Amino acid sequence: LEGEYKIGFWHWEQPRFPDAHLGAFAHLDEIWVPSNFVRDAVAAVSPLPVVVIPHALQFEPTPGISRSAFGLPEDKLLALVMYDFHSYQHRKNPQAAIEAFRQATLGRGDCALVVKTINGDQHSQARDELRASLADLPGTVMIDEFLTRQQTWDLQSCCDMLVSLHRAEGFGLAPAEMMYLGKPVVATGWSANMDFMNHNNSMPVHYTLEPLAETLGAYPAGPLWAEADVGHAAACIRRLLDDAGLRAEIGSRAAQDVRRQLHPDAVGKLVSARLKTLARWY
């Protein structure tokens, strides 16, 4: 690639880009990032241009897909929690989502939780912690296996809402996909997902910001992460469970907004405009 204009596409899930990675700028001419959250983190230390180019979405569920394909109950309202153990359970924070669901559904039997994960076999301690947090929620469906992208969209289409009380996201693919499908999303109201979430098309959850106490894999201690308000999340879930009209209204707005904002044509125009600018410069 010597002599070529090199663009890196980077994700990062903290509001500060770590010094340990600064050397990576030397190999590139420009950085593209999927969200304003990542842009702010990278641009603060970058000697290179940093441009937001979000991920594009365009897909549909398999016609006629049914819950039986995933072993899901037909007679329950289903809340979905999904993440990759490789993405760090502490960052994804499923325990908070599970506790919010527990509080929201106390004393009722018309709903169930679906927990979709991958790579649990490589994170046995985190997997055991997850299972322990679900011990008092009978009827929970756990799926820890790789699905194709189409199977993932099919599973999402079979659920009624997504709950994501993450501490930080670099883009927020699961919330974006669920909104694309017209499903209401209850998610921490901070970090990259707020590029496409708002109070009209989803339910952003209140939060406080606290520094990461200990280094977590790739993430150094110190920068702020969000602690979602579990009580507020529970109230949001309860409202959605109680009101089919509200679920439909929020889901409709979500689909309209995300399908417009993240359509391949919209994202493609951003790419085209940037490349044309570079062509004039170089």
Side-chain angles (χ1 to χ4, degrees):
L1 295 178
E2 194 65 32
E4 302 293 335
Y5 191 88
K6 296 174 285 295
I7 301 172
F9 197 103
W10 290 2
H11 291 67
W12 188 245
E13 291 85 13
Q14 286 183 306
R16 193 170 76 210
F17 193 72
D19 292 344
H21 297 327
L22 294 180
F25 289 113
H27 306 290
L28 300 169
D29 299 290
E30 178 165 312
I31 311 298
W32 290 2
V33 296
S35 67
N36 288 295
F37 179 78
V38 184
R39 189 232 11 234
D40 292 346
V42 176
V45 297
S46 176
L48 309 175
V50 182
V51 180
V52 177
I53 305 290
H55 297 295
L57 295 181
Q58 189 173 51
F59 63 89
E60 295 300 334
T62 301
I65 191 66
S66 67
R67 289 181 169 187
S68 61
F70 302 100
L72 304 178
E74 299 287 352
D75 59 343
K76 307 283 187 183
L77 291 167
L78 300 180
L80 176 64
V81 173
M82 61 186 308
Y83 66 101
D84 182 349
F85 280 96
H86 280 346
S87 295
Y88 301 101
Q89 184 161 273
H90 183 76
R91 178 171 73 83
K92 293 296 189 176
N93 199 17
Q95 281 81 7
I98 293 165
E99 177 58 27
F101 180 82
R102 179 184 291 109
Q103 292 182 17
T105 59
L106 189 64
R108 60 192 301 166
D110 61 340
C111 44
L113 191 62
V114 180
V115 180
K116 169 66 181 75
T117 58
I118 54 174
N119 293 309
D121 59 329
Q122 300 180 54
H123 299 268
S124 57
Q125 181 177 345
R127 181 188 58 196
D128 292 345
E129 291 172 356
L130 174 66
R131 288 175 175 170
S133 67
L134 293 166
D136 65 336
L137 286 175
T140 297
V141 178
M142 294 185 65
I143 304 172
D144 183 42
E145 62 183 86
F146 283 89
L147 301 179
T148 66
R149 292 309 301 152
Q150 187 62 55
Q151 288 172 321
T152 299
W153 299 325
D154 290 347
L155 172 65
Q156 291 170 323
S157 74
C158 290
C159 297
D160 297 290
M161 70 183 74
L162 178 80
V163 184
S164 177
L165 300 190
H166 55 263
R167 291 184 163 95
E169 288 285 8
F171 177 70
L173 183 61
E177 289 177 333
M178 287 292 279
M179 292 173 69
Y180 184 97
L181 289 167
K183 306 292 183 175
V185 168
V186 177
T188 310
W190 185 76
S191 68
N193 51 294
M194 294 309 294
D195 278 7
F196 50 82
M197 283 179 57
N198 59 57
H199 290 280
N200 292 318
N201 66 16
S202 56
M203 288 192 162
V205 174
H206 300 163
Y207 63 90
T208 57
L209 294 177
E210 298 182 11
L212 180 61
E214 299 179 0
T215 295
L216 178 69
Y219 305 109
L224 298 174
W225 267 359
E227 294 294 332
D229 183 334
V230 172
H232 180 236
C236 292
I237 296 169
R238 194 178 304 113
R239 285 184 62 199
L240 290 171
L241 292 174
D242 288 341
D243 192 337
L246 180 63
R247 294 197 302 272
E249 180 181 354
I250 289 179
S252 176
R253 291 175 186 162
Q256 182 178 9
D257 290 351
V258 167
R259 288 180 180 230
R260 180 185 65 250
Q261 183 177 341
L262 300 180
H263 191 280
D265 287 346
V267 176
K269 287 178 181 177
L270 297 176
V271 174
S272 178
R274 184 58 186 167
L275 294 181
K276 287 177 181 177
T277 298
L278 294 175
R280 290 196 297 270
W281 291 350
Y282 296 91

